[in-house]
Structure formats: C-alpha cells, structure tokens
Amino acid sequence: MGRLCRSVIKSVKQRWKKYSLYVVISLLLFVLLVPMFLTTIGFPQELQLVKGHKQLLEIDFPFPVYIQVKKSKELKINGQRMKDDCLKVDLSKPLAIKSAVLGKVNLEFNLFGFIPIRQATVNVIPRVKVYPGGQSVGIILKSKGVLVVKKSYVLGSDNKKYYPANSAGVKVGDRILAVNGQRVKGKNSLSKLINYYGRRQKRLKLKIRRNGSIITRNLKPKKNHSGQYMLGLYIDDGATGVGTMTFYDPHTKMYGALGHMITEPNSRSRMPISEGKIVKADISGIQRGHNNLPGEKLGTFFDNQKVMGKINKNDKFGIYGRLSNSISNKFFSEPIPVATALQVNRGPAKIYTVVEGNRIEEFKVQIVQVMKQYHPHEKGLIVKVTDHKLLNKTGGIIQGMSGSPIVQDGKLIGAVTHVFINDSTKGYGVLAEWMVEKAGLIQEKMAQN
C-alpha cells in the first residue's frame, strides 16, 4: 500500500511538473503575443489629441484593462479625472479621452491590473484652423545640381562618336552636384564649367549623388564638331507642373499643396530643392480620365508670372512654404478646424478644385475607407467621386487635382493625391493632420501657447 501511494504521488508530481511547464510556456506566449495582437487590432502606441476636445478611441479589446497615467491631473478618461491610481476600463466600448493641457501624457495599460501590455503616448496639440485651398498653382522647381536623364555620345570634329561620361561610369539617375569642387547650379552652370576646363585640357572630377550616397567620377570632356566641350549626357535641372493648393494659414501665410512628393523621373526618389516657387495657373482644358488611363488638367502658367509663394520643402506629404500675398476661397469666409486622424469618418464629403479657368468649384465625394493612422502615412483615405458634374467633366480624379482639399462636417480632413488606375472615379487621399504637421503649423501654435 505504501509503495502504491508513493507511486501515485510520484506520478502526480511528474504530471504537475509537466503541466506547470505548459502553464509557464502558455503565460510567456500570452505575454509575448498580446502586443502583436494589440498592434493588429489598432491599439495605438501614440496618438494625437486636440486640447479640450473629447476623442473616442475604438479599440475593441475583449479583456478588462487598467490604465495608469503619470504626472497629469488634467487628463480625463471616460469623464473621470486621472490621478496616480489606476482606472479600470472596458475596451470593448469606445474609450473617451480629453485633456485641457498641451503636451505629452504617458499612459500604461495593464491586463488584470498586473500584466503590462502597452505603453502609449498621447500628444495633446492645439486646435489648428486654416482656410481650405482649391486654387490651381503652377509649380516651378530648381533642383540641387543636375540630373542625368539619358546617356548619349559626343560627335567629334573627326565625325567619330565618343562616350566620355559613359566610359567614366556615369549613370542615368545620377545627380551631378559639383565639378572640380565648384557647385553646379543648373544646366548653364554645368555647360560653362565643362567648357572652362575643357579649353584648358583639364580632367573633370564630378561629385555625384547616387542612391543617397556621394561618389566621384573622373573624366576628360570631348570637343564636338562645333567646338564645344561635351560629356555625352542629357540632363535636367528642375521640374514644372500643375497642382492644387490644399490649405493656407492667414496669420503665418504658411501653406501646403499637392499632397505628395515631387520625384525625379527615373529613380522616383525625392527631388532636392535648390529653389522653388508657385505661380497662378489657369486650367485651359481637361483630358478626361478613363479606366487604365488617368486624365489630366491642362494648365497654363509662365515662369515670369507673379509669384504666389516660395517652396521651402518637398516632402512625401506635399510641398510647403509661405505665401507672398493673401488668397481666398469664396466657399469659406472663415478658417475651419483641421481634423485629427481619429475624427475622420466614412460618408459624404466635399472637395474643392478648379476645372476651368481659375474658378474654384465645390464637388461631392464619398469617403469609402479611412485607414487607422497614428503616425504619418501617405495613404490615409480612399475617396470616390459621386458628383455627376465632375464625373461628366473629368471622368473622376485626374492629374493636376492632387492637393484638392477634402472637407467633412466643417473640418479639413485631407487632400486628394492619387487616382486608381483601374477606376478613375476613386483615388487615395492624405490626411490633413499630417500635412499641417509637416507645414510646421502645429509647432507654430504650440509655441504661441
């Protein structure tokens, strides 16, 4: 009997060791996998909140969670002022957050009150109001250095073809920044430097930016049959095009336009700006869009036209700078609030753009999808044109419409950026919150408070 008991006890102990190992492993897996699960369902690690505005955060987490806030007595969660103790919340229902003070607030979420699952930062920002744009603008950029767009040859005085640049390893997409230590300011600048050193029978040391790295290439220019020294390259030193103003601030004159980055034609990388400006543009015609063939605004503007403003930044969320003079949109007599990412909803909205001359018009659209974004991302909305007048005129979203402001419930929520190739009635939009942040308006307002 004693032997039997000892055998049973030994068996129980072995089973307990086995199951306790399973329990420990299960708990470890749970703790490790919960953060991944939280990320999947959209439990933010950081979000922006407008001062004094109650924001609903929909997380839909199935377990009760305890929230602890440190060093902030002005934050309210579900209507309760937070102190140093914990607050138990049901995240299967929307979480209401409100703060009366600007700055950052750190939150700690604990499962069952003792298992830490997420730390989150709430950035409390001032309310920003701007005028929606809609004006067509001519964009004129001068880039830093010159871009190699095509390789060619030099036809010498002996009628033979020479390839000095190609032999030296210069490639399409390279940006030539300097020649023998002298900065290249544009096409004319490069031509003068080539001829200057060519006449003196000197080799050129080219400083080149390639895929984000700086390299050098040495070569000797060749005299062509006309007596000019050449490298055997086609180059470009800037970009021009038509876009749309998204917003402007009447006090600081800061503006944002386009909603996407201006890129180099070959590498599709950001075009670095030496100088840039926006000028008034008139829309002289429309090339309608069709499925698999985007349409286009046919704009007219001139380099010597009156400058509307300077371009100081070419960012993946648009172009930014300051206006030279005040502009207006007849649909808005007063500036309107900029929506945060969490304030944008599916449903009807309006866009403002020019389809003829320089007259801004208002058109109906539908927000069919809103991406959950707590950090800046380019594609925050999917927009569908529902206005029959705009559909008849353009076929939907077309090139040149990029930057057209989107307004919903009296707030600026975003800007049109890209058209769907297979459906010209739909396109992407960028959230206005990120554009205003990139323009520097949030920092400007923070400094004033």
Side-chain angles (χ1 to χ4, degrees), residues 24 229 291 374:
V24 171
Y229 285 89
N291 291 348
Y374 304 105

Side-chain angles (χ1 to χ4, degrees), residues 91-142:
L91 292 184
S92 64
K93 300 176 181 179
L95 186 71
I97 306 177
K98 184 177 180 180
S99 177
V101 177
L102 296 174
K104 291 189 176 183
V105 181
N106 294 319
L107 305 180
E108 187 175 283
F109 294 82
N110 295 292
L111 188 62
F112 311 128
F114 64 92
I115 301 177
I117 57 172
R118 174 72 88 213
Q119 289 186 338
T121 300
V122 178
N123 296 316
V124 185
I125 61 175
R127 166 165 283 194
V128 176
K129 290 185 176 183
V130 296
Y131 280 102
Q135 299 85 355
S136 283
V137 293
I139 299 165
I140 303 170
L141 285 183
K142 292 292 183 183

Side-chain angles (χ1 to χ4, degrees), residues 43 52 113 159 224-225 252 274 276 314 336-337 344 357 404 411 419 447:
F43 200 146
N159 284 325
N224 67 8
H225 63 285
T252 64
S274 172
N314 176 26
I336 64 173
V344 184
S404 299
K411 298 183 182 72
V419 62

Side-chain angles (χ1 to χ4, degrees), residues 175-343:
R175 183 167 290 279
I176 303 173
L177 304 176
V179 175
N180 292 352
Q182 297 189 57
R183 186 164 68 94
V184 174
K185 299 177 182 180
K187 290 186 285 189
N188 292 334
S189 169
L190 179 61
S191 178
K192 289 178 180 178
L193 288 169
I194 292 170
N195 274 288
Y196 175 81
Y197 289 108
R199 286 193 296 268
R200 286 158 178 77
Q201 298 298 307
K202 291 187 177 181
R203 295 182 65 82
L204 307 183
K205 183 178 181 180
L206 304 183
K207 181 182 178 182
I208 291 173
R209 180 179 292 278
R210 178 184 293 170
N211 299 326
S213 300
I214 300 296
I215 61 173
T216 58
R217 290 292 182 266
N218 297 300
L219 72 161
K220 194 171 183 178
K222 185 68 180 178
K223 185 193 291 187
N224 67 8
H225 63 285
S226 301
Q228 297 293 313
Y229 285 89
M230 311 286 285
L231 299 182
L233 294 172
Y234 286 99
I235 58 172
D236 199 358
D237 62 358
T240 59
V242 174
T244 304
M245 179 74 68
T246 305
F247 65 84
Y248 53 95
D249 178 64
H251 305 293
T252 64
K253 295 292 191 295
M254 290 179 177
Y255 76 84
L258 206 58
H260 63 75
M261 181 168 57
I262 298 174
T263 60
E264 296 179 336
N266 294 287
S267 65
R268 309 304 299 170
S269 59
R270 183 180 66 87
M271 178 175 286
I273 299 175
S274 172
E275 58 181 277
K277 58 186 176 182
I278 54 172
V279 298
K280 180 182 175 183
D282 289 330
I283 303 305
S284 55
I286 296 290
Q287 189 176 48
R288 291 186 83 255
H290 304 278
N291 291 348
N292 301 313
L293 184 64
E296 183 179 4
K297 288 184 181 184
L298 305 177
T300 304
F301 63 93
F302 303 98
D303 194 352
N304 58 357
Q305 273 184 242
K306 187 175 181 181
V307 176
M308 293 175 64
K310 291 185 177 181
I311 302 172
N312 299 327
K313 182 192 293 186
N314 176 26
D315 187 87
K316 62 182 178 180
F317 296 92
I319 57 172
Y320 304 93
R322 291 184 186 269
L323 296 173
S324 304
N325 300 288
S326 297
I327 57 177
S328 63
N329 180 331
K330 68 177 182 179
F331 295 96
F332 300 94
S333 59
E334 297 291 335
I336 64 173
V338 176
T340 64
L342 296 176
Q343 293 174 328

Side-chain angles (χ1 to χ4, degrees), residues 45-191:
Q45 288 182 300
E46 187 173 357
L47 70 144
Q48 294 200 143
L49 177 72
V50 175
K51 174 186 171 183
H53 176 83
K54 183 174 72 174
Q55 180 64 62
L56 293 179
L57 184 62
E58 295 183 5
I59 299 172
D60 198 22
F61 187 64
F63 301 105
V65 168
Y66 291 80
I67 304 178
Q68 186 174 14
V69 180
K70 298 181 179 179
K71 297 181 180 179
S72 178
K73 297 182 180 180
E74 299 299 329
L75 188 75
K76 289 184 178 181
I77 295 181
N78 291 344
Q80 297 187 45
R81 192 181 300 277
M82 294 297 297
K83 298 180 181 179
D84 292 334
D85 54 345
C86 294
L87 175 67
K88 184 179 180 181
V89 295
D90 180 5
L91 292 184
S92 64
K93 300 176 181 179
L95 186 71
I97 306 177
K98 184 177 180 180
S99 177
V101 177
L102 296 174
K104 291 189 176 183
V105 181
N106 294 319
L107 305 180
E108 187 175 283
F109 294 82
N110 295 292
L111 188 62
F112 311 128
F114 64 92
I115 301 177
I117 57 172
R118 174 72 88 213
Q119 289 186 338
T121 300
V122 178
N123 296 316
V124 185
I125 61 175
R127 166 165 283 194
V128 176
K129 290 185 176 183
V130 296
Y131 280 102
Q135 299 85 355
S136 283
V137 293
I139 299 165
I140 303 170
L141 285 183
K142 292 292 183 183
S143 62
K144 292 181 179 178
V146 297
L147 179 69
V148 177
V149 296
K150 185 179 178 181
K151 290 191 285 188
S152 183
Y153 58 86
V154 180
L155 186 63
S157 55
D158 55 2
N159 284 325
K160 291 183 179 180
K161 295 179 180 179
Y162 296 90
Y163 302 85
N166 187 59
S167 299
V170 179
K171 296 182 178 181
V172 172
D174 285 351
R175 183 167 290 279
I176 303 173
L177 304 176
V179 175
N180 292 352
Q182 297 189 57
R183 186 164 68 94
V184 174
K185 299 177 182 180
K187 290 186 285 189
N188 292 334
S189 169
L190 179 61
S191 178

